[in-house]
Amino acid sequence: TNPHQKGGSRITTGIEAYSGALREAVAGGRWAEVATLLDKGSKGKGSNEKGEGSGQPPSELRSMCRALGLFGNTALQSENDSGTTAANLLARHLVNELYFSMDDLASAAQGGDKAAAKEAWSRGRDYLNSYLRIVNYPIISRVGDKFSVVEGSL
């Protein structure tokens, strides 16, 4: 199966948002935009006439983190492994740290602290790029293209 089908587009969209829209919003001190880009979403508090929750889905960047975790399970695990592989454990750790870096960035934006926001973005970039290098390793051309790492800095 093509692992890119398991969240690959959410990952690519998230990488583009991280290196593009999020980086530019932080650089420009556009804190409301940063907050929107990093929105965690919410569970619904009730339902509409169709019985669906009124929840707000997480932003593309927050959704990417879930997709990264699921993709790591596919790319770094085999049914033959007796437990979670070391590479998959490391990948999960990097995704968690990326998510926490986004939390730190959201807090810095809320306080209008540009230095802390830049630092959190840069730390998140490094965690994301480390993850991408790990999952890119087993991706071969017949499976699909490797993911691009985040370029640029603040």
Side-chain angles (χ1 to χ4, degrees):
T1 63
N2 181 347
H4 279 44
Q5 292 168 344
K6 293 187 190 256
S9 63
R10 280 197 307 182
I11 293 171
T12 303
T13 301
I15 293 167
E16 289 167 0
Y18 200 92
S19 59
L22 184 62
R23 187 178 62 80
E24 291 158 18
V26 171
R30 298 191 303 273
W31 306 128
E33 197 176 321
V34 170
T36 301
L37 288 164
L38 296 178
D39 187 43
K40 292 182 179 182
S42 63
K43 303 269 191 235
K45 292 179 177 67
S47 60
N48 61 19
E49 60 279 356
K50 295 181 190 158
E52 300 162 332
S54 58
Q56 172 75 23
S59 70
E60 287 179 341
L61 287 163
R62 296 294 186 163
S63 177
M64 171 185 68
C65 290
R66 179 164 168 75
L68 292 172
L70 295 171
F71 185 79
N73 289 340
T74 303
L76 304 172
Q77 283 293 146
S78 147
E79 292 83 29
N80 300 327
D81 293 321
S82 58
T84 307
T85 63
N88 198 10
L89 288 171
L90 177 57
R92 290 178 188 177
H93 169 73
L94 294 167
V95 172
N96 285 338
E97 292 300 326
L98 168 61
Y99 198 88
F100 294 142
S101 296
M102 289 183 189
D103 288 347
D104 292 344
L105 176 47
S107 295
Q110 196 170 18
D113 185 341
K114 196 168 193 173
K118 285 181 171 185
E119 196 276 329
W121 182 90
S122 299
R123 194 171 64 244
R125 174 203 57 208
D126 294 346
Y127 285 124
L128 178 55
N129 285 344
S130 294
Y131 168 93
L132 293 170
R133 289 183 183 103
I134 291 170
V135 297
N136 275 340
Y137 187 74
I139 298 175
I140 53 176
S141 59
R142 67 182 167 80
V143 174
D145 296 328
K146 294 182 184 296
F147 292 106
S148 298
V149 297
V150 175
E151 301 291 345
S153 58
L154 282 171

